[in-house]
Amino acid sequence: MKKTIEKIIPRPDRPGMVGDGFRVFNFIPGANIAQKRISPFLMLDFNAEFDFGPSDHTRGVDVHPHKGFETVTIAYKGSVEHYDSTGNSGIIHPGDVQWMTAGAGILHKEFHEKEFSKKGGPFEMVQLWVNLPKKDKSTAAHYQPITAAQMGKVQLPGNSGIVNVIAGTFNTVKGPAVTYSPVNLFDIKLNKAGEVTTNITKEHNTALLVVNGSIEVNGEKAAEHSFILFNNDGEEITIKATENAVVLLLSGEPINEPIASYGPFVMNTQEEIQEAILEFQSGKFGVLA
């Protein structure tokens, strides 16, 4: 049985700025998609392709804390440089993914990579926030840097395109990301008239972001930069590209626990939020200049 579509949401009229380096359209929770409805996903910011132009300073977001969830940054165009309070740093190049588990708390900053910033050029990214179950919210902060070459690869028949499997399993091919609850994350690149079919259990909350191009999904047309939310019925999803297209498919088993959030902290109760704020203020998350 095919999954039915609950709604197709067009790209919001206006982007917002995160720092001075990320020009984003927010779909979760900004497009009236409650966090509980799309659990375990807490946020989806889409930096649709935009040329920031050359800059004499590196654009981005300065030091900020996170606790209680994971951030997943998917780079399509442009490069991002990041640093954290545990001493980690790195560059996310086009095609790469940075999967950061904030867990018990971390300080983080991210900027356009220096050489990219000097030259300018097209910049296109997606950032997801993925909730952690209560039992894992105090896990030590850590990273999974996933390069394009490390992802599971599915070459589609008939020159239809390719699927990069970031997390979960796509038609028996597994992705490299280790997750704390069942999650699928697939970067699907389709050639014009290309088609792909996969099955996602009806127990998962499931959605698609049309990063580029336009598609038909289970018989319904979806324009570029639209977001498709599926009902929790059926399993089969068929995507046909009406032009060259890039689609991000995300699905996950709901975490049926209370959500208490305040800015960069996501816990289960308001008391835990207050505790997280005090931990941050007292320096428990470390130091990052």
Side-chain angles (χ1 to χ4, degrees):
M1 177 180 172
K2 290 185 179 292
K3 282 188 182 296
T4 60
I5 293 172
E6 179 175 320
K7 53 186 173 181
I8 298 177
I9 301 164
R11 190 183 80 178
D13 291 335
R14 295 180 181 178
M17 289 299 296
V18 180
D20 66 353
F22 302 91
R23 179 182 180 270
V24 302
F25 297 93
N26 178 259
F27 285 99
I28 304 171
N32 294 319
I33 303 174
Q35 290 174 327
K36 286 188 177 181
R37 169 64 186 88
I38 196 68
S39 175
F41 306 105
L42 298 162
M43 189 199 78
L44 189 151
D45 272 348
F46 173 39
N47 191 131
E49 183 177 336
F50 183 78
D51 193 331
F52 283 89
S55 176
D56 58 2
H57 79 282
T58 51
R59 299 183 176 96
V61 184
D62 213 342
V63 180
H64 55 282
H66 292 298
K67 181 176 181 178
F69 62 98
E70 301 180 290
T71 68
V72 182
T73 303
I74 304 163
Y76 288 98
K77 296 174 184 175
S79 298
V80 172
E81 200 164 342
H82 68 93
Y83 305 86
D84 74 24
S85 52
T86 69
N88 286 308
S89 64
I91 298 173
I92 313 165
H93 295 290
D96 296 345
V97 171
Q98 179 211 71
W99 199 296
M100 182 181 82
T101 303
I106 197 169
L107 301 181
H108 191 239
K109 62 180 180 180
E110 50 203 335
F111 296 90
H112 293 190
E113 188 269 329
K114 291 181 181 65
E115 291 305 312
F116 172 80
S117 191
K118 288 177 185 176
K119 297 176 183 176
F123 190 82
E124 186 176 57
M125 302 267 164
V126 171
Q127 186 169 93
L128 279 169
W129 287 10
V130 182
N131 203 4
L132 287 170
K134 180 178 178 66
K135 66 181 180 61
D136 298 312
K137 285 187 179 291
S138 294
T139 193
H142 61 277
Y143 283 96
Q144 297 177 72
I146 303 169
T147 66
Q150 291 172 320
M151 294 179 194
K153 305 284 183 182
V154 179
Q155 291 286 346
L156 301 173
N159 194 36
S160 285
I162 188 170
V163 179
N164 294 307
V165 187
I166 301 167
T169 303
F170 182 95
N171 298 1
T172 74
V173 175
K174 292 185 177 181
V178 177
T179 63
Y180 285 83
S181 63
V183 168
N184 293 308
L185 193 58
F186 309 141
D187 170 37
I188 303 170
K189 293 177 168 61
L190 294 174
N191 298 319
K192 183 178 179 180
E195 180 177 330
V196 61
T197 297
T198 192
N199 291 313
I200 304 291
T201 177
K202 64 183 179 181
E203 281 74 27
H204 275 209
N205 291 327
T206 305
L208 292 177
L209 173 67
V210 186
V211 176
N212 294 133
S214 57
I215 62 171
E216 287 186 8
V217 54
N218 286 358
E220 294 194 40
K221 293 181 180 180
E224 185 174 62
H225 299 171
S226 58
F227 187 82
I228 301 105
L229 180 65
F230 292 92
N231 289 305
N232 294 84
D233 60 2
E235 296 189 341
E236 187 176 290
I237 297 173
T238 297
I239 305 167
K240 297 180 182 179
T242 51
E243 57 184 318
N244 290 348
V246 177
V247 180
L248 183 67
L249 188 154
L250 51 144
S251 83
E253 182 178 281
I255 299 172
N256 293 316
E257 296 174 353
I259 297 173
S261 60
Y262 179 78
F265 308 122
V266 183
M267 306 301 292
N268 298 107
T269 67
Q270 288 302 318
E271 290 77 14
E272 290 170 342
I273 292 291
Q274 291 301 318
E275 182 182 349
I277 293 170
L278 290 173
E279 288 173 349
F280 165 58
Q281 292 174 339
S282 67
K284 190 173 179 181
F285 294 178
V287 177
L288 182 60

